[in-house]
Amino acid sequence: MYDQIRGDTLLAIFYGGVTVMAMMVSCYLLLRRANAIAPEITPPIRLRRWTGVFFAFIALNNVWYLQIIFLDSSDDIKMADLVGGLIVNASAKG
């Protein structure tokens, strides 16, 4: 399974695009106070912040797993997957 992922250029392009979009959404929600589409509607600030942080974590997750596309061996990919899971598990326990 891991060998199929490596070397797919189209996957890297789409994956990078999704990462950039998550970063843009995160920055928009965290830094802009008013709504650009409907300025008269103002959502609660806590909702905007939590949603912005959520998209920031999605972007960080995509950056971490982007290395799977460029790693050489299946063992390196499995190790990166394991380390990522351990980091998420350790941060969830606080």
Side-chain angles (χ1 to χ4, degrees):
M1 176 179 106
Y2 291 109
D3 292 331
Q4 291 177 336
I5 295 173
R6 196 178 64 242
D8 193 1
T9 307
L10 192 59
L11 173 69
I13 292 170
F14 284 139
Y15 201 81
V18 168
T19 304
V20 169
M21 285 184 1
M23 286 183 206
M24 288 177 13
V25 169
S26 174
C27 290
Y28 169 77
L29 288 171
L30 292 174
L31 301 176
R32 187 169 172 101
R33 297 215 185 267
N35 193 348
I37 297 170
E40 65 276 357
I41 299 173
T42 55
I45 192 72
R46 272 184 80 184
L47 177 63
R48 288 181 66 90
R49 287 183 182 158
W50 277 107
T51 309
V53 169
F54 173 74
F55 277 104
F57 277 116
I58 288 175
L60 288 174
N61 181 28
N62 285 350
V63 167
W64 174 261
Y65 285 108
L66 186 64
Q67 66 184 338
I68 291 176
I69 297 171
F70 300 109
L71 290 177
D72 290 337
S73 71
S74 191
D75 292 334
D76 291 340
I77 295 170
K78 289 176 188 174
M79 182 59 74
D81 197 19
L82 177 66
V83 170
L86 289 173
I87 291 171
V88 169
N89 191 16
S91 65
K93 291 183 178 182

